[in-house]
Amino acid sequence: MKTTVLIFLLATSIATSHGLEHGIDYKIHPLRLKSGSGGHYVKGITCSSWRVGVEAHNIIEWKTIPQECEGYVGNYVLGDEYREDSKVVNREAYFYAKSIDVIKDGKNIWVFDIDETTLSNLPYYAHHGFGVEPYNATAFDEWVNLGIAPALPETQKLYNKLLSLGFKIVFLTGRPQSQKDITVKNLKDAGYYKWEKLIVKDVSKYKGKTAVTYKSNERKKLEEEEGYRIIGNIGDQWSDILGTNTGNRTFKLPDPLYYIA
């Protein structure tokens, strides 16, 4: 009940601000849980160790979070630690970007994923549960189509710094073409007001293909057909940063909510 009330308050806040210009300060912290620990869940493995295994890509192809770890994962992603972990990744990305002598020909790009990288779906997961149930495509699409996902604050800071350094921004997402317009609106409302390209998935072309294949092919087009140089590449899934044409350096944001191959 307490979580539901907090979700309502956040949704009300977002709805109130939604029509404003870029720069909205969407809030995530008000959804914070009050329970859940990193205690043992199976064969003596702790939930915190499970999360480390996920982030290190040692635990792969998992479909759901262990049920015993839902409270732990929810508490992590809605709390300070998730923000701190995101801050470390984005800070290192900035330090790297700052070290690059940007050639002023407009061809140096930085690739960003969208879900759980630039935009956060935490309000959705706080309402529907933290990944112990199978993925519900219909419910998630309904959430995306609202266009009210808040920005991940630390990633947004990196985005702004990269623009100031002279990098062009490319968003490469697994969202389908049918969601392009609402994604554009959501990005702008959340403070991502400028980019070079927004690449969405042609579902008919990539039917049955993995995310690694899709994103590799699209990055290859950027570099080999359009002449861009991918200096940096950041995402929450390993499939965002594996494959070909990954860029000069990749950065993996934390995400123990789901796994995309």
Side-chain angles (χ1 to χ4, degrees):
M1 177 63 71
K2 184 181 292 185
T3 301
T4 302
V5 172
L6 291 173
I7 293 166
F8 173 77
L9 291 174
L10 178 67
T12 302
S13 174
I14 291 174
T16 301
S17 304
H18 192 51
L20 300 179
E21 294 296 322
H22 56 262
I24 299 171
D25 183 19
Y26 287 132
K27 301 296 185 184
I28 292 175
H29 282 316
L31 290 172
R32 185 172 304 155
L33 297 177
K34 298 299 182 183
S35 63
S37 70
H40 293 74
Y41 81 95
V42 64
K43 294 182 180 179
I45 300 174
T46 64
C47 294
S48 56
S49 294
W50 175 83
R51 181 175 63 83
V52 171
V54 165
E55 299 299 359
H57 209 222
N58 291 318
I59 299 175
I60 63 173
E61 298 179 357
W62 50 280
K63 304 299 182 185
T64 58
I65 293 169
Q67 187 169 7
E68 296 83 352
C69 297
E70 181 179 21
Y72 166 78
V73 170
N75 206 39
Y76 167 74
V77 295
L78 296 177
D80 293 328
E81 189 177 0
Y82 174 60
R83 283 286 301 273
E84 288 299 317
D85 291 346
S86 297
K87 182 184 294 184
V88 168
V89 177
N90 282 291
R91 183 180 60 188
E92 291 303 312
Y94 170 65
F95 289 160
Y96 166 67
K98 194 176 178 182
S99 73
I100 302 298
D101 185 12
V102 180
I103 301 173
K104 300 187 183 302
D105 61 358
K107 291 297 184 178
N108 284 340
I109 62 172
W110 198 288
V111 176
F112 283 79
D113 174 51
I114 290 183
D115 292 296
E116 273 58 69
T117 298
T118 48
L119 296 177
S120 172
N121 298 303
L122 289 184
Y124 169 85
Y125 288 105
H127 181 65
H128 290 273
F130 291 97
V132 297
E133 298 293 335
Y135 172 67
N136 187 323
T138 300
F140 186 74
D141 284 345
E142 289 174 353
W143 156 256
V144 169
N145 289 331
L146 292 175
I148 57 173
L152 272 82
E154 305 307 328
T155 304
Q156 190 172 51
K157 291 175 185 176
L158 173 64
Y159 161 87
N160 287 325
K161 289 175 181 178
L162 291 175
L163 287 177
S164 69
L165 289 172
F167 288 94
K168 302 289 186 179
I169 305 300
V170 171
F171 293 115
L172 174 55
T173 177
R175 292 185 178 191
Q177 291 175 326
S178 60
Q179 292 179 334
K180 184 171 184 177
D181 289 345
I182 193 63
T183 300
V184 167
K185 185 177 188 303
N186 197 163
L187 285 168
K188 289 183 176 180
D189 285 349
Y192 299 100
Y193 56 92
K194 180 180 180 181
W195 56 81
E196 184 78 355
K197 288 179 176 290
L198 169 58
I199 302 170
V200 293
K201 189 175 183 179
D202 183 338
V203 178
S204 62
K205 179 179 179 180
Y206 288 106
K207 185 177 182 180
K209 304 294 185 181
T210 65
V212 172
T213 298
Y214 158 60
K215 294 204 168 185
S216 292
N217 286 349
E218 295 302 321
R219 291 191 302 260
K220 183 177 181 179
K221 289 180 186 177
L222 288 169
E223 290 197 313
E224 299 184 14
E225 296 180 18
E226 301 179 43
Y228 290 106
R229 293 179 294 274
I230 301 176
I231 305 301
N233 178 12
I234 188 168
D236 66 294
Q237 297 290 315
W238 279 93
S239 54
D240 296 327
I241 58 177
L242 292 177
T244 64
N245 302 87
T246 56
N248 292 359
R249 188 168 172 187
T250 61
F251 297 88
K252 167 70 170 66
L253 286 165
D255 183 4
L257 291 167
Y258 54 84
Y259 180 89
I260 298 176

